[in-house]
Amino acid sequence: MSQALHPMLNTAIKAARSAGTIINRASLDLDRLQINRKAPNDFVTEVDHAAEAAIIETLLGAYPGHGINAEESGRTHGTSSSEYVWIIDPLDGTTNFLHGFPVYAVSIALAFRGQVQQAVVYDPARNDLFYASKGRGAFLNDKRIRVSKRTRLADCLLGTGFPFRRGDNFQRYLKMMEVMMPLCAGLRRPGAAALDLCYVAAGWYDGFFETGLKPWDMAAGSLMITEAGGLVGNFTGNADFLERGEVLAASPRIYGQLVQLLSPFTSVVNEEAAAPPEAARAAELTPEAALGAVLDDTARPAPAAAEAPAAPKLKPPVRIRKVPAPE
């Protein structure tokens, strides 16, 4: 690496590459893998466990007093009282991996007092290393990355994820698709949220949204977004996406347009009961009405991009005005 990296970031990169070696070796003979189901359509393999063990061994070998929050082992390792917590997904995209579909990654983030400070997402199939330190930018393989400069939603390629667990709200996602698909240039669902967020940071996607995620799916990618000049929050624009499990990320000008469209679909149950009738009705907008609302909003001058797009400010859900479809 040409630039000097933070020592903790260097340790995370070492851990991610170690896990990537285990994953690549296993990908050569998938038929021999032992596979278990955590839930319907939610798989875990011996590779997940081996990769996670390698990561934890590397991290705690360097920082034995730190805490661990890992997908497969939870918080059973490390020091539970530490202000430093490593948030780990050893293999994001296990279903892809099991099918030989080469979209999966190792995700490692370090949070200090609840704020993500260091992040690594490693794609072992492509040997792509995304990394970021707070205040020092985001990088892909030693090259600085930034979010896209597009300002029109109609020109944008968006990423998303589909619900797959029993009990997920499939109908809500179908309504979201009905609203979003006519308004953008394309919608993609590769199946690894950590990489999806990095794709926004690199400008390959213009935005990404998904619900039903866990902190280890989002933590590293969220720092990539902000360090690349983007914004990240939940569907209503609030900054508590790690706790809510609902994420929206985009370049600043596209972010506002997506909040406007997606806020009626928020999964925050305790706010749905208190939501104004207009917000509830907005979720029932036809694609034509939603398009009218967005066109009405984008006709106004676009706001200037934020100089330092850190966590978005708390704000109430944006109300979408219901307008008649054009004749």
Side-chain angles (χ1 to χ4, degrees):
M1 309 247 169
S2 59
Q3 71 272 24
L5 301 182
H6 192 285
M8 293 182 182
L9 180 60
N10 262 327
T11 301
I13 290 172
K14 179 181 177 182
R17 288 196 181 278
S18 176
T21 298
I22 293 171
I23 293 167
N24 277 339
R25 188 181 304 125
S27 71
L28 300 176
D29 196 357
L30 293 173
D31 292 337
R32 296 183 61 183
L33 287 181
Q34 181 179 343
I35 304 169
N36 296 310
R37 290 176 182 261
K38 294 188 285 186
N41 300 326
D42 195 0
F43 303 97
V44 61
T45 72
E46 56 191 307
V47 177
D48 295 75
H49 291 294
E52 184 170 291
I55 293 169
I56 292 172
E57 180 181 4
T58 301
L59 298 178
L60 293 185
Y63 303 103
H66 285 191
I68 298 288
N69 182 13
E71 179 176 13
E72 307 307 337
S73 59
R75 297 177 182 268
T76 58
H77 299 280
T79 305
S80 60
S81 59
S82 177
E83 292 182 318
Y84 289 94
V85 178
W86 293 96
I87 306 170
I88 302 164
D89 190 341
L91 180 52
D92 183 32
T94 300
T95 302
N96 287 349
F97 171 75
L98 289 174
H99 287 79
F101 185 62
V103 182
Y104 43 82
V106 180
S107 178
I108 304 173
L110 175 64
F112 175 65
R113 296 179 179 175
Q115 298 295 317
V116 178
Q117 303 286 319
Q118 312 292 337
V120 175
V121 175
Y122 179 51
D123 177 347
R126 293 169 56 93
N127 195 27
D128 277 343
L129 182 72
F130 297 88
Y131 58 94
S133 289
K134 190 171 180 62
R136 300 184 66 178
F139 296 82
L140 166 58
N141 299 333
D142 239 6
K143 182 180 179 181
R144 185 76 180 263
I145 56 175
R146 299 183 187 276
V147 295
S148 79
K149 297 180 180 179
R150 295 182 184 87
T151 59
R152 296 179 65 248
L153 189 59
D155 299 329
C156 289
L157 180 66
L158 304 179
T160 189
F162 300 152
F164 62 91
R165 298 181 181 90
R166 182 175 297 166
D168 285 345
N169 192 331
F170 293 94
Q171 291 303 315
R172 182 179 66 206
Y173 249 87
L174 290 174
K175 291 178 181 178
M176 276 195 286
M177 298 302 103
E178 187 179 17
V179 168
M180 298 301 299
M181 290 176 70
L183 303 182
C184 64
L187 202 58
R188 301 291 182 266
R189 197 279 188 189
L195 280 177
D196 286 320
L197 290 167
C198 290
Y199 292 172
V200 176
W204 302 346
Y205 285 162
D206 301 284
F208 171 74
F209 61 94
E210 187 172 357
T211 65
L213 297 174
K214 299 295 184 182
W216 44 78
D217 298 316
M218 302 176 282
S222 69
L223 184 63
M224 305 288 180
I225 296 290
T226 56
E227 288 300 316
L231 296 173
V232 60
N234 65 19
F235 286 4
T236 59
N238 292 335
D240 58 350
F241 57 94
L242 288 180
E243 295 78 22
R244 295 281 174 84
E246 172 186 275
V247 68
L248 166 60
S251 59
R253 295 191 178 186
I254 298 302
Y255 184 86
Q257 297 174 53
L258 292 178
V259 166
Q260 189 175 9
L261 287 166
L262 292 173
S263 57
F265 299 100
T266 182
S267 60
V268 183
V269 177
N270 62 350
E271 290 183 2
E272 288 177 352
E278 292 85 350
R281 287 198 296 270
E284 304 298 329
L285 281 178
T286 65
E288 293 81 5
L291 175 60
V294 172
L295 291 178
D296 179 71
D297 180 70
T298 54
R300 307 185 187 110
E307 292 183 1
K313 296 181 179 178
L314 295 176
K315 54 189 176 182
V318 178
R319 181 179 300 176
I320 300 178
R321 295 188 296 107
K322 188 171 183 180
V323 298
E327 296 181 358

